[in-house]
């Protein structure tokens, strides 16, 4: 649809599957929220050196290992066995979070059932505090009430989706502004400069 509508270049952020880029016959730049996430963790979590980065499912393992490597901390993942779509049956924590700050990282959260379950699991496994950092906060259906009732210190999302209304109903939601990353990507594209710099750096 985008191609047919006349787009000749697409800039995306944290595609759910990076293979999606291959479906276009025009250039696609898939930017990452990771540099902004790393910056937020260093600036807002005082004891980040004693944290564990946790993936709420096996599919996000690559994302959390990348962040954990760059912070030089441990990572863990939660293996979930589903009975049917959108229903989590059993969660198994692989890794150690005892006496540590646990930071759940995922690319998006919709109804937030998985991350709220995961947060409970982490607390029962001995985590001192639990944060969630998500690129796309969809927050549909019961998501906001689930977050309000869950044990998160904060649920941090980027503003790829506007969050002003959601923030009014949930004090735990905090927003990382990624407008500068997109603006810089557009500027670099327009001037024929390298966009790949933004894969690992936050523009100043």
């Amino acid at each position: 649809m985008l191609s047919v509508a006349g787009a000749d270049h697409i800039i995306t952020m944290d595609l759910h599957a990076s293979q999606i880029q291959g479906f276009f016959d025009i250039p696609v730049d898939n930017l990452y929220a990771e540099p902004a996430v790393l910056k937020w963790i260093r600036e807002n979590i005082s004891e980040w050196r004693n944290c564990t980065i946790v993936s709420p499912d096996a599919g996000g393992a690559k994302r959390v290992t990348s962040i954990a490597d760059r912070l030089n901390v441990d990572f863990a993942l939660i293996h979930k066995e589903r009975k049917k779509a959108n229903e989590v049956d059993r969660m198994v924590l692989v890794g150690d979070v005892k006496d540590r700050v646990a930071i759940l990282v995922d690319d998006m959260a919709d109804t937030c059932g998985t991350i709220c379950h995961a947060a409970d699991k982490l607390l029962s496994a001995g985590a001192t505090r639990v944060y969630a950092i998500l690129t796309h906060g969809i927050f549909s259906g019961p998501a906001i009430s689930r977050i309000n009732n869950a044990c998160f210190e904060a649920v941090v999302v980027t503003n790829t989706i506007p969050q002003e209304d959601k923030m009014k109903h949930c004090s735990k939601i905090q927003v990382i502004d990624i407008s500068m990353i997109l603006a810089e990507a557009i500027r670099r594209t327009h001037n024929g400069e390298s966009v790949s710099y933004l894969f690992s750096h936050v523009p100043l």
Side-chain angles (χ1 to χ4, degrees), residues 88-157:
V88 177
D89 182 27
R90 203 166 74 93
M91 290 191 154
V92 183
L93 176 67
V94 183
D96 182 26
V97 294
K98 190 166 173 54
D99 300 328
R100 294 185 186 190
V101 174
I103 305 173
L104 278 161
V105 177
D106 209 352
D107 62 341
M108 62 181 187
D110 186 0
T111 57
C112 295
T114 301
I115 61 161
C116 291
H117 267 112
D120 292 340
K121 184 83 187 167
L122 292 167
L123 268 195
S124 64
T128 53
R129 289 185 292 152
V130 182
Y131 292 84
I133 305 184
L134 316 154
T135 307
H136 309 295
I138 302 165
F139 299 149
S140 64
I144 296 299
S145 64
R146 280 176 174 170
I147 292 171
N148 281 327
N149 294 327
C151 54
F152 293 111
E153 293 290 318
V155 174
V156 184
V157 291

Side-chain angles (χ1 to χ4, degrees), residues 69 129 176 179 191-192 201:
D69 284 350
R129 289 185 292 152
I176 299 173
S179 57
N191 294 336
H201 298 83

Side-chain angles (χ1 to χ4, degrees), residues 141-186:
I144 296 299
S145 64
R146 280 176 174 170
I147 292 171
N148 281 327
N149 294 327
C151 54
F152 293 111
E153 293 290 318
V155 174
V156 184
V157 291
T158 71
N159 55 349
T160 53
I161 298 169
Q163 299 294 347
E164 286 78 11
D165 288 348
K166 303 284 194 299
M167 290 170 79
K168 287 175 192 163
H169 300 109
C170 181
S171 58
K172 293 180 186 176
I173 295 176
Q174 296 184 31
V175 170
I176 299 173
D177 182 18
I178 47 93
S179 57
M180 279 302 295
I181 299 174
L182 293 172
E184 180 66 5
I186 293 167

